[in-house]
Amino acid sequence: MNKIEPKILQGFVELLPDEQIAYNKMYDKIRSVYERFGFLPIDTPVLEYSDVLLAKAGGETEKQIYRFSKGDADISMRFDLTVPLARYVAMHQNDLAFPFKRYHMAKVYRGERPQKGRFREFCQCDIDVIGSESLPLIYDAEIPAVIYNVFRELDIGKFTVRINNRKILGGFFTYIGQSENVTEIMRVIDKLEKIGAEKVGEELIKIGCGDAETEKILSFIGIGGTCDDIIASLRALGVDNELFTEGVDELEEVISHIRAFGVPEEYFTIDLTIARGLDYYTGTVYETKLVDYPSLGSICSGGRYDNLTGYYTDQKLPGIGISIGLTRLFSQLKDAGLIDIAKKSTIDVLVVPMDKTAIPAAIDAAGKFRAAGIPSDVYYLEKGMKPKMKYANRIGVPFVAIIGESEMAENKVALKNMLGDGQVTVSVDEATEIIKKG
Amino acid sequence: MNKIEPKILQGFVELLPDEQIAYNKMYDKIRSVYERFGFLPIDTPVLEYSDVLLAKAGGETEKQIYRFSKGDADISMRFDLTVPLARYVAMHQNDLAFPFKRYHMAKVYRGERPQKGRFREFCQCDIDVIGSESLPLIYDAEIPAVIYNVFRELDIGKFTVRINNRKILGGFFTYIGQSENVTEIMRVIDKLEKIGAEKVGEELIKIGCGDAETEKILSFIGIGGTCDDIIASLRALGVDNELFTEGVDELEEVISHIRAFGVPEEYFTIDLTIARGLDYYTGTVYETKLVDYPSLGSICSGGRYDNLTGYYTDQKLPGIGISIGLTRLFSQLKDAGLIDIAKKSTIDVLVVPMDKTAIPAAIDAAGKFRAAGIPSDVYYLEKGMKPKMKYANRIGVPFVAIIGESEMAENKVALKNMLGDGQVTVSVDEATEIIKKG
């Protein structure tokens, strides 16, 4: 028979089981923190009507969509979890309690040009809070508080949630006479960390800012210090613009709430260069960076939008949300050697019968381990002890319980700690205690 | 602005949060049992090269595939988790330890004609054990033992795992001179429960069985009793066919192993009418039915295949597996009123500040609850107590902790059990104890 080469599509990724175990552990921890803060789970179809999904898309986004027809239906694969959320909330609003706090951790699809760190199928872990008509600013602080708890629990080193408010940017650029250039300026200053102030200045000139304006913008984005310093410096600018003042007031309130949530000062900061490209953000915006790995870029981003569901309903539904790109984060952490793939197995003990006659005793022992809460498996293949132990090593199981004739006679197992040395002959109950201790 | 009607594609399904919580609970329990028995997690891309995914497909299956082109690639969405497993094992065989036990719980896609209980996107929960060159029969018994544990834990009432061996069918039909009719006869006898013996007889005649053969088949599938009775009756038939004898020997061994796994007799049975349509099964086959809801059909099916990966590699990789169709099972159980959607919330206590001044104390209390392992949320909206309690009722949270001026003064909360009545003023620590007790 002609063989077909087993391969997967470019830009797609799949993990070996030991990596998948580490990935799932991250997924589970994120989910657990989201639930601990009262976010409710939802899941939406991967496929949607194209006109529903692409209501607001266009340009680059639309080109990346996996879109096709089947029967009469013009179908697209979801490219984020925010548009499906908007559709979901608009469709089910009478069945939801507001503020509606939901999490959604699922795969999305973008046919991007494949390159390192970019995937065409990737998992996003989103939380959003949707209000009916209005939503208090305290939620803009709860979101980074949740993220603080997530990354602390993931134990991936020092990180900083960088916070800004687009009203400050919009207000300031308008105040200096660049109201028509706001989006372009945001795009340029976003590059500050990458290309430096000098190049940012050159690009600002290129997009039509005058020398004086460019200087003002450079000095504005140069504002640094603690959160309180930055707020004070912004107020000291004496900007006579309502939007600007509103933005500074909001930012100040959000910062004070973040402190109330018990997030230590070293884990958050104000960063005036952050704008987030997507044009639906209208207030608070976030990015998150690993302090020791700034080159990884933002590992968690989001912000506030005034009206999520405008394309589907007249009801005003403002919201705030953030997203962790788990596939990318996992891949980056793995490449940086920060993922511990020590646990290669879902079980804690492998029961190994010496020969066929010991199989019933082995099944019995494994059942007892499981009943005591210890995941367990039996090696059933009739092979010599050497390949049996080789298999145990290969799957990285911490304990092996061997059962032969003498163990059966005593109703015991020979328990071997695969990480330590030596072995003890004990009852299954005693073995349970030893395994539970480590 | 013109509004777009928010709707989802026909044949697709999404749940409200309370249903999603119940669904996730089932998903988590299944996963937990799979892991407890040593199955390793994998996940594969939803999209694959069409020639890889459709290597063996054809006919009905191929018509149902979501298939499209993007760039140069001919792409298909996976329609089950078995073909991706074959591709995965063939591709990564050097990195896997055999026997390779894997679970995969993920969505698959079939563009079937929409009808009640049929979905175009649905979650399958698969386990398979893949051997290298050979795989002992004891795994044919471990699979129903795992399924027994899953359904016991899901607590969905009495069920029976029905077991058969296709070698018995193939051997018997060949023995009575119907070797060219085997697949067709299997298709017909599979309907016994639905249409009765008389109609099965008529259909057998229609597909070309003679009167004598039809009688023999009807008497064969009429064999009943305990597992031991059926094995004895099969042996008593005196069928002189090697395949038949091999099948009976295998079935007898599998049944004895299932007993060794501690599965009680009332949870499994031999059913000679089960064949499973898919032609890759070569030995043991399973179906599972709810005793009190036989009309739901098989809620979990699978079997043994001699060679999983023949389309991709010369390496012989036999396996055995089973699949729970979770989307369908959940929908059926929901319709039958068997799903408890009592828990509408991911939190156990909602902290309600009486007014704005109590918000910091509320944030603090919620943080303490979470630190003590109790999922908790704060209601931040500035509204009267009535809408606040209405929200608490709506989200179905079991406890509410109210904080007003007097509670703040005493550093306490007014804890209200939403299911009982009355309320007590206690410290957060005392409240923690009460909530943990239920």
Side-chain angles (χ1 to χ4, degrees):
Chain A
M1 196 165 86
N2 279 332
K3 302 295 172 193
I4 293 162
E5 189 200 343
K7 57 178 181 180
I8 58 175
L9 289 158
Q10 244 200 319
F12 286 70
V13 72
E14 68 187 2
L15 304 173
L16 288 170
D18 52 353
E19 300 167 329
Q20 190 73 49
I21 289 172
Y23 174 95
N24 288 0
K25 214 181 278 177
M26 288 182 71
Y27 183 99
D28 291 342
K29 278 186 183 165
I30 297 169
R31 177 182 159 194
S32 146
V33 175
Y34 286 175
E35 293 198 342
R36 208 181 305 150
F37 277 82
F39 289 86
L40 297 168
I42 72 164
D43 194 17
T44 64
V46 164
L47 303 182
E48 299 247 14
Y49 283 112
S50 296
D51 62 342
V52 171
L53 206 61
L54 305 177
K56 89 169 277 303
E60 273 314 301
T61 309
E62 194 140 346
K63 266 184 242 158
Q64 295 175 358
I65 306 296
Y66 287 97
R67 181 175 180 171
F68 57 92
S69 296
K70 186 154 179 87
D72 295 338
D74 178 357
I75 298 173
S76 290
M77 296 181 82
R78 65 180 174 211
F79 55 92
D80 73 3
L81 301 177
T82 307
V83 178
L85 171 65
R87 196 264 309 139
Y88 183 96
V89 171
M91 194 168 150
H92 303 293
Q93 52 182 306
N94 295 329
D95 295 311
L96 303 173
F98 291 91
F100 175 52
K101 299 174 79 171
R102 86 86 178 81
Y103 74 87
H104 191 181
M105 300 170 60
K107 287 179 174 177
V108 303
Y109 297 83
R110 290 187 200 168
E112 294 194 85
R113 203 164 55 79
Q115 50 178 306
K116 201 173 155 47
R118 291 275 170 191
F119 300 100
R120 290 175 162 178
E121 176 184 61
F122 54 98
C123 176
Q124 289 201 318
C125 307
D126 283 23
I127 43 172
D128 287 82
V129 187
I130 312 296
S132 181
E133 296 298 332
S134 71
L135 186 71
L137 265 183
I138 194 158
Y139 287 104
D140 298 49
E142 191 186 48
I143 294 283
V146 175
I147 290 306
Y148 163 73
N149 279 276
V150 166
F151 287 127
R152 289 288 285 173
E153 213 141 304
L154 288 181
D155 196 18
I156 53 173
K158 282 185 224 163
F159 58 89
T160 320
V161 182
R162 297 166 180 224
I163 303 163
N164 196 13
N165 191 304
R166 278 174 69 140
K167 290 179 184 169
I168 297 175
L169 301 180
F172 183 78
F173 303 145
T174 302
Y175 171 69
I176 62 169
Q178 299 293 319
S179 62
E180 278 160 32
N181 243 340
V182 168
T183 315
E184 275 298 281
I185 299 174
M186 286 184 185
R187 195 182 52 74
V188 172
I189 63 168
D190 190 48
K191 301 185 195 170
L192 178 65
E193 206 156 318
K194 228 186 213 162
I195 63 176
E198 199 175 324
K199 288 246 165 76
V200 165
E202 287 167 19
E203 288 206 19
L204 287 172
I205 303 271
K206 229 181 268 171
I207 61 166
C209 298
D211 286 349
E213 289 81 13
T214 298
E215 194 126 323
K216 279 178 193 163
I217 294 170
L218 286 176
S219 123
F220 168 80
I221 61 176
I223 294 172
T226 65
C227 290
D228 296 333
D229 290 344
I230 294 173
I231 299 280
S233 301
L234 288 172
R235 297 222 187 271
L237 289 176
V239 173
D240 181 18
N241 176 286
E242 215 175 303
L243 191 65
F244 178 88
T245 309
E246 201 179 307
V248 176
D249 289 347
E250 286 186 8
L251 189 56
E252 188 170 24
E253 187 180 336
V254 169
I255 295 293
S256 88
H257 287 316
I258 293 176
R259 289 177 178 139
F261 274 103
V263 182
E265 295 286 326
E266 66 265 37
Y267 287 97
F268 65 94
T269 186
I270 295 174
D271 183 339
L272 296 175
T273 68
I274 288 175
R276 303 302 307 154
L278 294 162
D279 58 1
Y280 55 71
Y281 292 126
T282 48
T284 305
V285 282
Y286 317 102
E287 290 191 354
T288 312
K289 284 193 177 167
L290 291 178
V291 173
D292 297 327
Y293 300 87
S295 64
L296 300 191
S298 178
I299 58 171
C300 175
S301 315
R304 176 179 273 259
Y305 34 87
D306 269 347
N307 195 3
L308 178 67
T309 54
Y311 289 90
Y312 309 117
T313 171
D314 284 326
Q315 181 83 6
K316 200 189 161 204
L317 298 162
I320 180 124
I322 206 162
S323 177
I324 301 173
L326 183 55
T327 304
R328 194 170 171 211
L329 177 61
F330 182 84
S331 148
Q332 289 171 325
L333 294 176
K334 198 178 79 173
D335 290 348
L338 295 174
I339 296 280
D340 179 21
I341 311 192
K343 194 161 163 48
K344 295 179 181 172
S345 168
T346 54
I347 56 166
D348 290 335
V349 59
L350 179 72
V351 184
V352 175
M354 294 278 268
D355 55 34
K356 212 170 172 175
T357 59
I359 286 184
I363 291 177
D364 188 56
K368 282 182 183 152
F369 283 130
R370 286 183 204 115
I374 297 174
S376 171
D377 196 9
V378 178
Y379 188 82
Y380 294 111
L381 270 54
E382 293 179 55
K383 297 203 170 182
M385 274 313 278
K386 220 171 152 183
K388 284 175 181 169
M389 294 313 285
K390 198 179 151 190
Y391 172 83
N393 264 315
R394 184 96 193 254
I395 65 167
V397 67
F399 288 93
V400 169
I402 302 159
I403 303 182
E405 216 172 313
S406 63
E407 285 81 12
M408 278 196 285
E410 296 181 67
N411 203 12
K412 293 193 168 175
V413 301
L415 188 71
K416 192 173 159 55
N417 183 336
M418 297 296 283
L419 303 169
D421 39 27
Q423 97 187 16
V424 287
T425 301
V426 292
S427 71
V428 170
D429 284 350
E430 288 162 330
T432 299
E433 288 312 306
I434 296 171
I435 295 166
K436 279 193 174 166
K437 273 181 199 145
Chain B
M1 194 167 85
N2 279 332
K3 302 294 173 193
I4 293 161
E5 189 200 342
K7 57 178 182 179
I8 58 175
L9 289 159
Q10 243 199 321
F12 286 70
V13 71
E14 66 187 4
L15 304 173
L16 288 171
D18 52 354
E19 299 168 329
Q20 190 73 48
I21 289 172
Y23 174 94
N24 289 0
K25 212 182 281 177
M26 288 182 71
Y27 182 98
D28 291 343
K29 278 187 184 165
I30 296 170
R31 178 182 158 192
S32 146
V33 175
Y34 286 175
E35 293 198 343
R36 207 181 305 149
F37 276 82
F39 289 86
L40 297 168
I42 73 165
D43 193 18
T44 64
V46 165
L47 303 181
E48 300 247 13
Y49 283 112
S50 296
D51 62 341
V52 170
L53 206 62
L54 306 178
K56 88 169 279 305
E60 272 313 301
T61 309
E62 194 141 348
K63 266 185 243 157
Q64 296 175 359
I65 306 297
Y66 287 98
R67 182 176 181 171
F68 57 93
S69 296
K70 184 152 180 90
D72 295 336
D74 178 357
I75 297 173
S76 290
M77 297 181 82
R78 64 179 174 212
F79 55 91
D80 73 4
L81 301 177
T82 308
V83 179
L85 171 65
R87 197 264 310 139
Y88 183 94
V89 171
M91 193 168 152
H92 303 294
Q93 52 181 307
N94 295 328
D95 295 312
L96 303 173
F98 292 90
F100 176 52
K101 298 174 78 171
R102 86 88 178 79
Y103 73 87
H104 191 181
M105 299 171 60
K107 286 179 175 178
V108 302
Y109 298 83
R110 291 187 200 169
E112 294 194 85
R113 204 164 55 79
Q115 50 178 309
K116 200 171 157 49
R118 291 276 169 189
F119 301 101
R120 289 174 162 179
E121 176 184 61
F122 54 98
C123 177
Q124 288 201 318
C125 307
D126 282 24
I127 42 171
D128 286 82
V129 187
I130 313 295
S132 180
E133 297 298 330
S134 71
L135 187 71
L137 266 182
I138 193 158
Y139 288 105
D140 299 49
E142 191 186 48
I143 295 284
V146 175
I147 290 308
Y148 163 73
N149 278 276
V150 166
F151 287 126
R152 288 289 285 174
E153 214 141 303
L154 289 181
D155 197 17
I156 54 173
K158 281 187 224 161
F159 58 89
T160 319
V161 182
R162 297 167 178 224
I163 303 163
N164 196 12
N165 190 306
R166 278 175 70 140
K167 290 177 184 170
I168 297 175
L169 301 182
F172 183 78
F173 303 145
T174 302
Y175 171 69
I176 61 168
Q178 299 292 319
S179 61
E180 277 160 34
N181 242 341
V182 169
T183 315
E184 275 300 280
I185 299 173
M186 286 184 185
R187 197 183 50 75
V188 172
I189 63 169
D190 190 49
K191 301 185 195 169
L192 179 66
E193 205 156 319
K194 229 186 214 162
I195 62 176
E198 198 175 325
K199 287 248 166 74
V200 165
E202 287 166 19
E203 289 207 20
L204 287 173
I205 303 267
K206 228 181 270 170
I207 62 167
C209 297
D211 287 350
E213 289 79 15
T214 297
E215 194 126 320
K216 280 178 192 163
I217 295 170
L218 286 177
S219 126
F220 169 80
I221 60 176
I223 294 173
T226 66
C227 291
D228 297 331
D229 290 345
I230 294 173
I231 299 281
S233 302
L234 287 172
R235 296 223 187 270
L237 289 177
V239 173
D240 182 19
N241 176 287
E242 217 175 303
L243 191 67
F244 178 87
T245 310
E246 201 180 307
V248 176
D249 289 347
E250 286 186 9
L251 188 57
E252 189 170 25
E253 188 180 335
V254 170
I255 295 293
S256 88
H257 287 316
I258 293 177
R259 288 176 179 142
F261 274 103
V263 181
E265 295 286 325
E266 65 264 37
Y267 287 98
F268 64 95
T269 186
I270 295 174
D271 182 339
L272 296 175
T273 67
I274 288 175
R276 302 303 305 152
L278 293 162
D279 58 0
Y280 55 72
Y281 291 127
T282 49
T284 306
V285 283
Y286 317 102
E287 290 191 353
T288 311
K289 286 193 175 167
L290 291 178
V291 173
D292 297 327
Y293 299 87
S295 64
L296 300 190
S298 177
I299 58 171
C300 175
S301 315
R304 176 179 272 259
Y305 34 86
D306 270 347
N307 195 5
L308 179 66
T309 54
Y311 290 91
Y312 310 118
T313 171
D314 284 325
Q315 181 82 8
K316 200 189 161 203
L317 298 162
I320 179 125
I322 206 162
S323 178
I324 302 173
L326 183 56
T327 303
R328 193 167 172 213
L329 178 61
F330 182 83
S331 148
Q332 289 171 325
L333 293 175
K334 197 178 79 175
D335 290 348
L338 295 174
I339 296 281
D340 179 23
I341 310 193
K343 192 159 165 52
K344 293 180 180 171
S345 169
T346 54
I347 57 166
D348 290 334
V349 59
L350 179 72
V351 184
V352 174
M354 294 277 268
D355 54 35
K356 212 173 173 174
T357 59
I359 286 184
I363 291 177
D364 189 55
K368 282 183 183 151
F369 282 130
R370 285 182 206 117
I374 296 174
S376 171
D377 196 9
V378 178
Y379 188 82
Y380 295 111
L381 271 53
E382 293 179 54
K383 298 203 170 180
M385 274 313 277
K386 221 171 154 184
K388 284 176 181 170
M389 295 313 286
K390 197 177 152 193
Y391 172 83
N393 264 317
R394 184 97 194 253
I395 66 167
V397 67
F399 288 92
V400 169
I402 302 159
I403 303 181
E405 216 171 314
S406 63
E407 285 80 12
M408 277 197 284
E410 296 181 67
N411 203 13
K412 293 192 169 177
V413 301
L415 188 71
K416 190 173 160 59
N417 183 337
M418 298 295 283
L419 302 169
D421 39 26
Q423 104 188 10
V424 286
T425 301
V426 291
S427 72
V428 170
D429 284 349
E430 289 163 329
T432 299
E433 288 311 306
I434 296 170
I435 295 166
K436 279 193 174 168
K437 273 181 201 143

